[in-house]
Amino acid sequence: MNTEYEENCDVSAIFFDLDNTLIQTRKGDSRTCNKLVEILHHEYGLPRDVASESATTFLRSFRAQPDDESYALDEWPAHLWRNSLPKNFRHIAKNVSEEWLKLRFQYLALTPEVIHLLETLREDYLLGLITNGPSRAQWQKIKRLDLRKYFDCVLVSGDLPWEKPDQNIFLEACKLLNVEARTCIMVGDKLETDIKGGKEAELGGTVWIPLQKDEMESDLPDFTINKVTELPEVLPASPKLKRSTHIANVC
């Protein structure tokens, strides 16, 4: 692992991944399903093992396909719940789905520490969000969690002809922010998309946040940190580019 950015490189922009980087999607979804097991058991009378199996089946299906555009956005999880619940309980699928959505976004909300990080970084850097996933599903998270206000640029792969690790999605962010790739860094949890893509786009640096603490060490990222709030520890002390009103919110 390198311990310095590209020589003579001042960081002007920071690109963040969304899921499992800024928000703890896997943990949040698991917590939501664990809570729903209790609700299914206590409020609807499902045996605990049946409730657990239903929630596990739902989560597996949802992670495999978080959206289907042939359904209304909020109808898709209801459809998955109908397929996951026992036949004699499928009539509660809509209610369970509504509870899923409410609880999910409670658990996915930015922590005060992450909010403070983003607000502080915006004083000195341009911030971009680059996320892979279906357009509707990703924008639902962005809007419900009120994330847009923290970023000068948001790119969702479902809206574009590329997804990470294609270098073009990183270069598009650079173009929109009018910055050179070598002055940007990418922060994310996936070596194969966030870090590899940042390297192929020749960004100035990459910062990896392993999803699991026991993940194998890698020499690919320039820096490895345990959580996103540790990012300031690996940033240059004095950024060259200060924010200005004519640059902010350009995309």
Side-chain angles (χ1 to χ4, degrees):
M1 179 182 70
N2 297 329
T3 56
E4 296 182 357
Y5 293 99
E6 182 179 317
E7 188 175 359
N8 298 323
C9 168
D10 289 292
V11 176
S12 59
I14 303 172
F15 301 144
F16 288 93
D17 171 52
L18 176 59
D19 295 297
N20 305 306
T21 297
L22 289 175
I23 62 174
Q24 298 304 308
T25 309
R26 290 190 71 84
K27 289 181 181 178
D29 287 351
S30 294
R31 290 180 67 191
T32 302
C33 280
N34 289 339
K35 181 65 175 178
L36 284 172
V37 169
E38 298 303 313
I39 292 173
L40 288 170
H41 177 58
H42 292 292
E43 296 186 18
Y44 293 100
L46 274 74
R48 188 177 295 277
D49 60 333
V50 176
S52 180
E53 182 180 355
S54 297
T56 298
T57 299
F58 167 81
L59 188 55
R60 185 185 306 114
S61 299
F62 182 78
R63 283 176 172 167
Q65 188 175 356
D67 189 21
D68 184 327
E69 292 195 356
S70 63
Y71 291 81
L73 183 59
D74 289 348
E75 276 297 311
W76 177 239
H79 169 76
L80 295 180
W81 276 111
R82 278 191 292 272
N83 289 342
S84 302
L85 290 164
K87 289 184 179 180
N88 55 327
F89 284 95
R90 289 182 178 174
H91 62 284
I92 67 172
K94 182 177 180 181
N95 291 341
V96 175
S97 182
E98 289 174 353
E99 194 69 31
W100 152 262
L101 288 171
K102 182 181 75 172
L103 289 169
R104 184 183 194 225
F105 289 110
Q106 288 178 9
Y107 288 132
L108 292 187
L110 293 181
T111 65
E113 293 79 13
V114 173
I115 291 173
H116 177 71
L117 171 73
L118 294 174
E119 290 177 342
T120 302
L121 291 175
R122 278 178 64 80
E123 297 176 6
D124 291 315
Y125 304 97
L126 297 171
L127 302 185
L129 184 67
I130 306 177
T131 177
N132 281 357
S135 178
R136 296 195 310 174
Q138 295 305 88
W139 278 108
Q140 182 188 46
K141 282 181 277 192
I142 293 165
K143 292 173 181 177
R144 291 283 293 267
L145 299 175
D146 197 22
L147 303 180
R148 184 63 183 85
K149 63 186 178 183
Y150 298 109
F151 297 97
D152 302 285
C153 189
V154 175
L155 283 81
V156 177
S157 70
D159 299 328
L160 302 165
W162 336 279
E163 64 178 18
K164 298 177 291 186
D166 191 315
Q167 63 177 309
N168 285 293
I169 197 168
F170 300 93
L171 297 178
E172 180 69 9
C174 295
K175 177 181 176 182
L176 289 169
L177 294 183
N178 193 29
V179 293
E180 296 182 30
R182 67 179 184 83
T183 69
C184 303
I185 65 172
M186 179 66 202
V187 184
D189 69 294
K190 290 188 176 180
L191 288 172
E192 65 273 20
T193 55
D194 303 309
I195 307 307
K196 180 182 178 183
K199 289 290 189 181
E200 292 183 353
E202 298 184 349
L203 301 186
T206 55
V207 181
W208 183 39
I209 309 172
L211 184 57
Q212 303 292 337
K213 290 185 178 181
D214 58 353
E215 279 192 69
M216 186 179 299
E217 292 187 5
S218 172
D219 291 329
L220 187 62
D222 296 296
F223 299 93
T224 299
I225 57 179
N226 293 316
K227 53 187 177 180
V228 72
T229 50
E230 294 178 359
L231 180 62
E233 298 175 15
V234 299
L235 291 177
S238 301
K240 181 178 181 180
L241 177 66
K242 296 290 183 180
R243 293 181 54 81
S244 58
T245 55
H246 74 278
I247 293 179
N249 298 317
V250 296
C251 59

